[in-house]
Amino acid sequence: MRTLLSFFFSLICLMSAQVAASPENLILPKCQQEEVVETPITFFLSKEVKDDYSPYVREGMIQSWINRANQILKNSCVPMHRTLHQIVEVDELNLPEFESINVVHSMLEYYDPESIKEMTRKPNHYYGVIFSSKRSEALPPEHCGMTNNRVFPQFFTLDMACDKDTLEHELGHLAWAQHDIDTFSAQTEMTLDEVIETTPSHLKQFFKFYAFGYQCAGKGTIMSYADEVLPVYSSPEISYRGIPCGNKKFANNALRLREYVRHLRARLAVHSESVISHSEEKPPVTQ
Ligand SMILES: [Zn+2]
């Protein structure tokens, strides 16, 4: 069983065995019109991915993850759009085994500090390191995807063998959407009050009691651990086979994501103002 300490350092996701449930009988709400926030994603490919997958195959897989993420966001009325910013090969990322996402981030930062600095300046930009399961069979399947949103709010790792839902699942963690409450309780071994108490004060605003995954008619929503998942975040406004896929009290990750979009929009406005003021500070060019 995972320890409390490991929970605080990373959110490891058991997603590789999941399959997508049929979307038939899925009833979606009518969405309110809101300005859409774009979230470009940079994928850093480890040496194993470069060796094991042709450019055509790996780019096709990454694009299918992004398409699926956008379908999940649209179905859940989240005004956010994922885009592929770039795919970067990093031969030095040669890590068939690793214990912690922090190690991966440190290596990436060592080899490409400028890119990391540039991306973390933009709050809507995400970046991840992709590994190849063909070389990492010694790893347990729960290492399929990882985040550590308390330390790296824009960073994730994924395995090429992850199913196409895992990208959005990891990005959901970065927006502070949690697993279903049973899985969350089993992983943290704490009450929700204890979780709040141990969350650093500047991050408490992101932890919400209603932001958990859910299951409806035997199918999971995107953040829940389930054999089959529907392409939606938990929400009381969505139903499957007549059963609500969330509730207001503890299973409304779609609301958490919409709130996160507003938070991003506000940060982007501050970011663009600061870019304008910096450019105005430049001395005039004289000839
Ligand atoms: Zn997870």
Side-chain angles (χ1 to χ4, degrees):
M1 187 173 283
R2 294 179 54 231
T3 62
L4 174 62
L5 188 66
S6 70
F7 171 75
F8 283 126
F9 281 102
S10 60
L11 288 157
I12 297 173
C13 304
L14 185 74
M15 296 289 288
S16 56
Q18 288 184 337
V19 293
S22 163
E24 288 167 31
N25 302 312
L26 186 63
I27 306 297
L28 303 171
K30 194 173 184 316
C31 306
Q32 288 185 352
Q33 292 297 313
E34 242 184 283
E35 187 193 340
V36 174
V37 170
E38 270 211 3
T39 62
I41 309 170
T42 294
F43 294 85
F44 292 95
L45 303 186
S46 67
K47 186 171 186 312
E48 293 89 353
V49 172
K50 192 181 154 193
D51 291 346
D52 294 343
Y53 295 84
S54 71
Y56 177 78
V57 169
R58 62 201 191 216
E59 284 164 27
M61 288 173 78
I62 288 170
Q63 194 57 58
S64 77
W65 299 344
I66 291 174
N67 293 346
R68 180 68 166 185
N70 284 325
Q71 183 193 359
I72 294 163
L73 293 169
K74 190 176 172 195
N75 288 349
S76 310
C77 292
V78 177
M80 187 149 56
H81 188 74
R82 314 291 188 197
T83 58
L84 172 58
H85 182 64
Q86 57 179 344
I87 297 175
V88 184
E89 295 170 3
V90 187
D91 282 353
E92 293 84 358
L93 280 171
N94 189 3
L95 271 174
E97 289 184 50
F98 61 92
E99 283 297 314
S100 144
I101 187 172
N102 302 33
V103 171
V104 181
H105 195 276
S106 298
M107 285 190 74
L108 185 61
E109 220 168 3
Y110 180 78
Y111 289 112
D112 201 348
E114 284 310 311
S115 292
I116 306 301
K117 207 183 285 175
E118 182 63 23
M119 284 182 292
T120 49
R121 242 183 244 138
K122 300 168 187 165
N124 59 328
H125 202 137
Y126 293 100
Y127 59 103
V129 169
I130 314 301
F131 292 101
S132 167
S133 55
K134 289 185 183 174
R135 301 292 183 86
S136 52
E137 283 171 357
L139 289 176
E142 60 267 27
H143 279 245
C144 188
M146 280 196 248
T147 55
N148 181 355
N149 57 0
R150 293 167 186 239
V151 183
F152 310 116
Q154 294 160 251
F155 179 62
F156 60 88
T157 68
L158 280 184
D159 192 297
M160 286 299 279
C162 295
D163 67 55
K164 61 184 177 182
D165 290 323
T166 310
L167 173 65
E168 186 54 36
H169 178 103
E170 299 307 327
L171 297 176
H173 278 309
L174 296 180
W176 289 76
Q178 311 287 354
H179 294 147
D180 58 278
I181 203 156
D182 290 343
T183 303
F184 180 87
S185 302
Q187 289 179 329
T188 60
E189 299 171 335
M190 285 195 291
T191 65
L192 294 182
D193 287 334
E194 286 168 338
V195 172
I196 289 281
E197 273 172 37
T198 52
T199 301
S201 55
H202 69 288
L203 297 174
K204 281 188 202 298
Q205 58 170 318
F206 296 117
F207 188 89
K208 304 291 182 188
F209 285 101
Y210 53 79
F212 291 94
Y214 200 65
Q215 291 200 23
C216 40
K219 314 293 181 197
T221 51
I222 194 68
M223 299 306 291
S224 45
Y225 277 26
D227 292 336
E228 292 183 62
V229 292
L230 297 161
V232 292
Y233 278 98
S234 61
S235 166
E237 296 168 343
I238 296 171
S239 65
Y240 182 68
R241 294 186 187 276
I243 308 292
C245 292
N247 64 58
K248 283 186 179 172
K249 202 172 173 195
F250 63 87
N252 199 348
N253 268 331
L255 174 63
R256 174 80 284 263
L257 265 287
R258 285 193 287 275
E259 289 172 346
Y260 197 77
V261 174
R262 286 173 206 135
H263 165 79
L264 272 185
R265 212 181 275 129
R267 286 191 61 201
L268 281 169
V270 172
H271 173 76
S272 59
E273 271 175 30
S274 112
V275 170
I276 291 166
S277 69
H278 275 95
S279 60
E280 284 170 351
E281 282 166 17
K282 281 184 185 169
V285 177
T286 53
Q287 292 182 328

